[in-house]
Amino acid sequence: MASDKQPLRIGLIGFGCVGQGFYDILQQHPGLGLTVASIAVKNPDKPRPLSADRFTYHADELLNDPTLDVLVEVIDDAAEAFRLVSAALRQGRRVVTANKAMLARHLPELLQLEQQHGGVLLYEAAVCGSIPIIRTLDAYFSHEPLRSVRGIFNGSSNYVLTRMSEEGSDYATALAEAQALGFAETDPSLDMGAFDPRSKAVILAAHAYGVLLNPDDVLNLGIEAVGAADIAYAAARGQKVKVVASLQRLPNGRVAALVTPQLLGPESPLFTVEHEFNGVVVEGEYAGPQFLRGRGAGGHPTGSAVLADVLALRRGLRYGYTKQAAAPAVQPAENLSLDVYLRHADAGVLREVLTWLEMPATALHTDVHGVHASGVVPLLRLLQWRDELRANGVFVARRGEVQAGVAAVAEPLQAEALA
Ligand SMILES: NC(=O)c1ccc[n+]([C@@H]2O[C@H](COP(=O)([O-])OP(=O)(O)OC[C@H]3O[C@@H](n4cnc5c(N)ncnc54)[C@H](OP(=O)(O)O)[C@@H]3O)[C@@H](O)[C@H]2O)c1
């Protein structure tokens, strides 16, 4: 029976940034009754802060150890994480993971295994580090219809954008700093290409709306091509460039999801979320807007979320996924449009991009930094040309939220007068 005093033996798989952060917090709180009984890592030659006899190099040993009450999976290999977590759930075990890439790809299968074999899977650390957003959506808002969930879910790209806008750093220098500080994923393109925040948006959609999205269907545009001209364009309008994930209920009741850079003004609480911090604005039908801000990455903040999950498991918590029972349909991209700003140093490339996106030649503008374009584009075209936009180094930011319909014509924005 679940008891909040029951001692637990933990099997820890992964002893990197998050694993060590979690371990360190536990050492400072010996009274919790949580013991890390086994630790699995990969590389036998790596120097470790603990004696070598504390480690195994075969994670399967932890899977096969029935004396472990909880498995904590915090490795940086999504495929191997899926193998380990799904095997543990097949054994009906209690599992905590932080692996958002793995969860976003395999959530339906993992939920099925959890139900079939009576195990439990919690993963608060996978979204926004220390911010308790999954439990907030899953438990607190379990029955409240949500208008939207919007947020900055990636600390590394937010750090880069903050350094570029506040200190005038160039992109490469700011990215190197984020990597040196340990905010960036092992593969930085996951952060800068907005793949990481897309995984988090997919996970939150399961709790906020009960919908299980395929990550590939969710538009993700990153900041790999952002430059000083884009930061200056935003600043001239009193705005900042932020990578914002949006889950939104449309007037027809369907849900739309996307993650792109957005030009945000001070009217948004996300405007003040800087450096490696994350922020989420949840807008409930009855509760109205609420804003959570906190550290989205790092050993201790993420370790704190892992600890909260282990303690919650001990109390018998499992996610309710209440909204799955009456989940709304997902709005196909065919019927959506987006007001965007685009820039590329080469006017010829930009002209070609306009044809891909079905934008008129009049969308092209010149300013002191060169050429850019703006106007309303069908979301479907952005999805179809996503890889080409990225490969050609075209920076794209939206200037608002997704709109139902594709027939909308760009209003000549007052802001263009500033160009
Ligand atoms: N870092 C963050 O702030 C943060 C925040 C939220 C979520 N996450 C997620 O948390 C997970 C861990 O991230 P991290 O930053 O802690 O990664 P990390 O610092 O690169 O550490 C990864 C750890 O996993 C171990 N590992 C890799 N493959 C393994 C295998 N097959 N068997 C056993 N151990 C294996 C590595 O072993 P070696 O030590 O031998 O190399 C290392 O200890 C990832 O899914 C990440 O997306 C991270």
Side-chain angles (χ1 to χ4, degrees), residues 337-356:
S337 55
L338 209 54
D339 183 7
V340 295
Y341 152 92
L342 307 105
R343 187 179 291 270
H344 192 280
D346 184 332
V349 172
L350 207 50
R351 263 190 214 96
E352 192 181 348
V353 168
L354 295 187
T355 64
W356 298 348

Side-chain angles (χ1 to χ4, degrees), residues 217-350:
D217 296 339
V218 177
L219 177 68
N220 66 305
L221 299 170
I223 58 160
E224 288 147 316
V226 72
D230 308 305
I231 304 291
Y233 177 93
R237 289 153 180 79
Q239 296 176 319
K240 292 177 187 167
V241 178
K242 296 283 184 193
V243 178
V244 180
S246 286
L247 301 169
Q248 192 184 336
R249 201 183 67 214
L250 299 167
N252 63 8
R254 294 182 173 205
V255 173
L258 79 168
V259 186
T260 75
Q262 182 169 6
L263 303 177
L264 276 187
E267 67 285 354
S268 168
L270 300 176
F271 185 79
T272 60
V273 177
E274 301 286 33
H275 295 102
E276 75 277 21
F277 278 76
N278 283 189
V280 193
V281 181
V282 179
E283 189 169 358
E285 187 75 44
Y286 310 114
Q290 297 188 347
F291 175 44
L292 292 94
R293 183 215 321 244
R295 290 189 188 277
H300 278 165
T302 314
S304 136
V306 171
L307 173 61
D309 274 356
V310 173
L311 293 172
L313 279 179
R314 182 159 72 175
R315 291 196 304 276
L317 180 107
R318 54 172 62 242
Y319 296 137
Y321 300 100
T322 320
K323 289 176 176 166
Q324 274 190 21
V330 177
Q331 179 68 43
E334 281 84 346
N335 302 320
L336 295 173
S337 55
L338 209 54
D339 183 7
V340 295
Y341 152 92
L342 307 105
R343 187 179 291 270
H344 192 280
D346 184 332
V349 172
L350 207 50

Side-chain angles (χ1 to χ4, degrees), residues 15-18 42-43 46 48 75-76 98-100 185 297-298:
F15 199 66
C17 177
V18 180
K42 189 173 179 184
N43 180 355
K46 221 182 209 179
R48 310 276 173 192
I75 70 174
D76 59 345
N99 200 315
K100 51 259 174 158
E185 287 288 321

Side-chain angles (χ1 to χ4, degrees), residues 12-20 39-48 55-60 73-78 80-81 83-84 97-102 124-129 182-186 190 196 200 296-299 301-303:
L12 180 58
I13 311 177
F15 199 66
C17 177
V18 180
Q20 289 191 42
I39 309 175
V41 285
K42 189 173 179 184
N43 180 355
D45 302 324
K46 221 182 209 179
R48 310 276 173 192
F55 297 97
T56 169
Y57 304 97
H58 306 284
D60 283 17
E73 179 283 301
V74 281
I75 70 174
D76 59 345
D77 174 340
E80 180 64 357
R83 188 186 72 78
L84 292 166
T97 177
N99 200 315
K100 51 259 174 158
M102 184 267 295
E124 188 63 70
V127 182
C128 295
F183 304 140
E185 287 288 321
T186 315
L190 295 177
D196 172 81
K200 293 164 177 169
T302 314

